[in-house]
Amino acid sequence: MSARMHLSGAQDPQQRDEGDRYTVAAEVLGLLADRTRLTLLERLSEGEADVSTLTEACAVARPSVSQHLARLRLAGLVTTRKEGRRVIYALPHGHVKRLVDEALRSADHQLGDLPPHD
């Protein structure tokens, strides 16, 4: 996420270029636009998990899951902590959880599983 890497966490939000804000938001949405990453984030919205648990949830090869997790971690969409030899992944805040939830609810509407509403 090139724009995110150039933004300092100590920078006043009002001083940020509005274009940077849209660039970072578009990059976040781009990361969500992958079935495996979306599945990983949905599973992590239920709570912390290690790579083995996440691999089972995705039904994708472990190396692929690890690569997707690395991209999500670099983008700041997941955090990690060590528990012995295991790496535990988690969502750092509820924003990503809500984005994933809304995307899946929108899909449910398109598939006809939910009635229309405003």
Side-chain angles (χ1 to χ4, degrees):
M1 297 190 65
S2 57
R4 182 180 175 93
M5 290 181 200
H6 296 296
L7 295 176
S8 169
Q11 188 177 18
D12 182 358
Q14 293 178 352
Q15 292 178 343
R16 291 184 183 148
D17 179 355
E18 195 68 15
D20 287 341
R21 183 175 181 227
Y22 287 105
T23 299
V24 171
E27 289 176 354
V28 167
L29 292 172
L31 285 167
L32 294 179
D34 178 272
R35 182 185 173 120
T36 299
R37 288 192 291 271
L38 196 57
T39 304
L40 290 169
L41 293 169
E42 181 189 29
R43 171 53 189 84
L44 288 171
S45 72
E46 299 169 6
E48 296 180 328
D50 64 4
V51 176
S52 295
T53 302
L54 294 169
T55 299
E56 284 180 31
C58 292
V60 176
R62 187 180 180 114
S64 179
V65 169
S66 294
Q67 288 177 355
H68 285 291
L69 287 168
R71 288 195 68 188
L72 293 170
R73 186 181 51 78
L74 287 173
L77 299 182
V78 299
T79 58
T80 60
R81 68 178 175 81
K82 291 282 257 180
E83 190 176 272
R85 293 178 57 176
R86 297 182 326 149
V87 176
I88 306 297
Y89 291 85
L91 297 181
H93 49 70
H95 295 291
V96 174
K97 178 185 183 324
R98 289 187 294 276
L99 278 170
V100 169
D101 188 47
E102 285 298 321
L104 293 172
R105 286 178 188 261
S106 178
D108 289 339
H109 281 284
Q110 289 186 14
L111 295 171
D113 293 342
L114 292 177
H117 63 83
D118 191 21

